[in-house]
């Protein structure tokens, strides 16, 4: 079941812009879905969207209020309940990607039930999946893989989808994490799936399709991350990827959350991913490297991108800054 | 919380010996915990244990009735409820490793509550886990890995534990599947854990220990199984294995449940496992190959074991038939 748009983005009492990162991603990648923003007193985040009351948003056709703010602990704040209840009463669905569930707030569950509205807790899968079959299915698939967690796999995937769409190619972005799901309107938070069904969930997410259709699948974690590699492995196998894009954040000094673990070399990382991906698609190949240069000093990234291109023989781009055209060229 | 022994093994209405495979494994590996068996009319399985009524079993000191029979669909059969209820009333706990839960049968849940007894549904983890940290911890660990699912990893692990115990080594078998948990009295059904916590669950299962203590960890799935490799990968990383034992079933013509997938070569499979294991323990090494020759014609296995030893330079044994001494020699 897809989350209906247009969205009204709720920024709550976000102490700073970073706390509204989820809303920012939605506004960046799906501007046409975002009617406006609604904020509580003391909110220090601003997406530059039209400021809207619930009444105005409903009148403008909004379908879902999206909680685009995260707080420490990822809970549904008491201070938000009043406005969330009102939104339900006025006919909006609610969607959130926090650890805490909208559906676990008794008053929200009751009001949603009473008014026939939906609560989307996108971090928590609400359906079961089958065990993966590994059976070859028609359609093409691209998967973003990473040297580490949080290196820009979602942004790279969305930039690639955008470029393919601009060229008139048949393409869908397939979301595997909470921000991606809010951006796509559907998807699976794959790290919350029961371990036995990781690859099966991805087979479901990116099913058989037209031979010239591409699913661009958002990767998660890294084969080299000691906490999450199981998720990354199941994702690789379920994706049956034809094309891999390696994502990297060059200023990272160690694996995220693991101070004793250095990052893998780009070449080793790419080869390990290709090797694992060949199990379910022997024809897989690498088509590019997406480098998140946002933390680099201005002017330093050009030389880095050229050196990566030389090392791997693949186009290397920062897709957020300059798009993904050189990578998409490789898919033609 | 451990399942208390001694056990009374319930074989129900098992149509044949295979349906009581779980009970057979318990009786084989923990004979000292098994007081007797109890069967319903029409049961065609027989473990050769003392036939016991509930009254007799309780008088003999039984603590837990273990459902050691599986039926199609893995449900708690209606025909079993009466005897399971009586067992609770008479002071026994219940343990089962089926998909269906004892705790989901309202009458069993009510009677257990009323009489202060425990229901152990060992296929379903009842606790949460932390994300894996990858932090090095003291103690030694051996993990069984496989070319495929269901090739004898649990039996190999138990044979290795038995041999180590016989030599006076400090050792614990760490169970990761339902049969293993019933044999060990505790453990984690790792394929039922939420994907994000696979390696964290194994870190919890095989924690820091004395420097000369060995955990022998039951592996699951295979890095080369398109359905389950994510579980196997997380298990490898969480185990921080010092020693790997490769398990193999030589008559398998394709990966279990996947007719289009051939088995990997032993050398490739072992190397891929070592490569992945090095992430969390760079000192890991292979110490042997456990070959399940039960499906081979008599007399054919000796030559096979010798050829595997020649190919890999490791001891190759059928641990069920001849024990695991040559493998344990390598751990000294």
């Amino acid at each position: 079941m897809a989350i209906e748009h247009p969205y009204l983005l709720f920024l709550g009492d976000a102490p700073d812009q970073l706390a509204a990162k989820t809303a920012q991603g939605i506004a960046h990648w799906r501007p046409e879905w975002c009617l406006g923003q609604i904020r509580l007193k003391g909110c220090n985040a601003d997406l530059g969207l039209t400021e809207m009351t619930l009444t105005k948003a409903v009148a403008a056709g909004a379908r879902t209020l999206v909680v685009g703010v995260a707080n420490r602990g990822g809970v549904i704040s008491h201070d938000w309940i009043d406005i969330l209840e009102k939104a339900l009463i006025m006919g909006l669905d609610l969607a959130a990607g926090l650890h805490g569930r909208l559906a676990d707030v008794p008053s929200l569950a009751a009001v949603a039930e009473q008014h026939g509205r939906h609560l989307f807790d996108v971090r928590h899968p609400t359906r079961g999946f089958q065990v993966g079959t590994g059976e070859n299915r028609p359609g093409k698939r691209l998967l973003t893989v990473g040297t580490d967690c949080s290196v820009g796999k979602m942004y790279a995937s969305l930039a690639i989808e955008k470029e393919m769409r601009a060229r008139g190619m048949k393409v869908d972005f397939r979301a595997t994490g909470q921000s991606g799901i809010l951006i796509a309107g559907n998807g699976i938070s794959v790290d919350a799936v029961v371990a036995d069904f990781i690859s099966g969930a991805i087979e479901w997410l990116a099913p058989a399709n037209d031979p010239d259709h591409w699913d661009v699948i958002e990767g998660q974690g890294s084969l080299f991350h000691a906490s999450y590699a199981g998720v990354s492995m199941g994702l690789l196998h379920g994706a049956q990827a034809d094309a891999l894009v390696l994502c990297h954040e060059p200023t990272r000094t160690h694996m995220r959350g693991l101070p004793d673990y250095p990052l893998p070399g780009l070449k080793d990382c790419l080869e390990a991913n290709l090797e694992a991906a060949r199990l379910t698609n022997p024809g897989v190949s690498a088509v590019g490297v997406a480098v998140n240069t946002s933390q680099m000093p201005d002017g330093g990234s050009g030389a880095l991108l050229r050196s990566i291109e030389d090392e791997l023989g693949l186009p290397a781009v920062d897709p957020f800054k300059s798009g993904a055209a050189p990578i998409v060229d490789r898919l033609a």
Side-chain angles (χ1 to χ4, degrees), chain A residues 44-112:
Chain A
N44 292 320
D46 185 357
L47 303 178
L49 296 175
T50 309
E51 211 76 42
M52 284 190 164
T53 60
L54 289 173
T55 310
K56 197 169 151 194
V58 169
R63 304 292 305 144
T64 303
L65 181 143
V66 177
V67 177
V69 53
N71 53 20
R72 195 181 283 270
V75 298
I76 310 291
S77 165
H78 285 295
D79 298 338
W80 306 345
I81 304 290
D82 185 52
I83 206 162
L84 298 181
E85 274 183 26
K86 284 199 180 106
L88 289 168
I89 292 167
M90 294 174 71
L92 299 180
D93 291 339
L94 301 182
L98 302 170
H99 276 293
R101 300 177 204 226
L102 297 163
D104 284 347
V105 179
S107 67
L108 294 180
V111 174

Side-chain angles (χ1 to χ4, degrees), chain A residues 129-270:
Chain A
F129 298 97
Q130 302 292 310
V131 163
T133 67
E135 283 169 24
N136 187 264
R137 54 199 196 277
K140 297 275 189 188
R141 285 160 206 94
L142 179 150
L143 174 68
T144 47
V145 297
T147 51
D148 194 1
C149 302
S150 308
V151 292
K153 289 184 282 287
M154 184 188 81
Y155 269 64
S157 304
L158 285 158
I160 291 166
E161 184 216 22
K162 186 176 180 181
E163 176 68 22
M164 292 174 82
R165 208 174 281 285
R167 296 187 190 192
M169 297 169 77
K170 293 187 200 169
V171 61
D172 282 297
F173 166 68
R174 300 298 189 185
T176 60
Q178 60 271 12
S179 290
I181 296 172
L182 294 171
I183 290 168
N186 56 45
I188 299 168
S189 198
V190 66
D191 58 13
V193 166
V194 168
D196 238 1
F197 306 106
I198 305 171
S199 61
I202 302 305
E203 292 180 0
W204 180 90
L205 178 69
N209 215 317
D210 297 342
D212 60 341
H213 176 279
W214 282 89
D215 276 331
V216 177
I217 305 171
E218 177 192 8
Q220 293 293 335
S222 165
L223 284 187
F224 290 83
H225 197 291
S227 311
Y228 307 118
V231 173
S232 309
M233 186 67 146
L235 227 166
L236 259 176
H237 288 164
Q240 291 183 13
D242 300 279
L244 296 185
V245 171
L246 180 63
C247 302
H248 182 55
E249 205 285 64
T251 70
R252 206 60 68 84
T253 55
H254 59 76
M255 296 296 281
R256 191 168 163 86
L258 305 178
D260 295 337
Y261 283 82
L263 265 75
L266 291 178
K267 201 161 196 156
D268 288 346
C269 184
L270 186 57

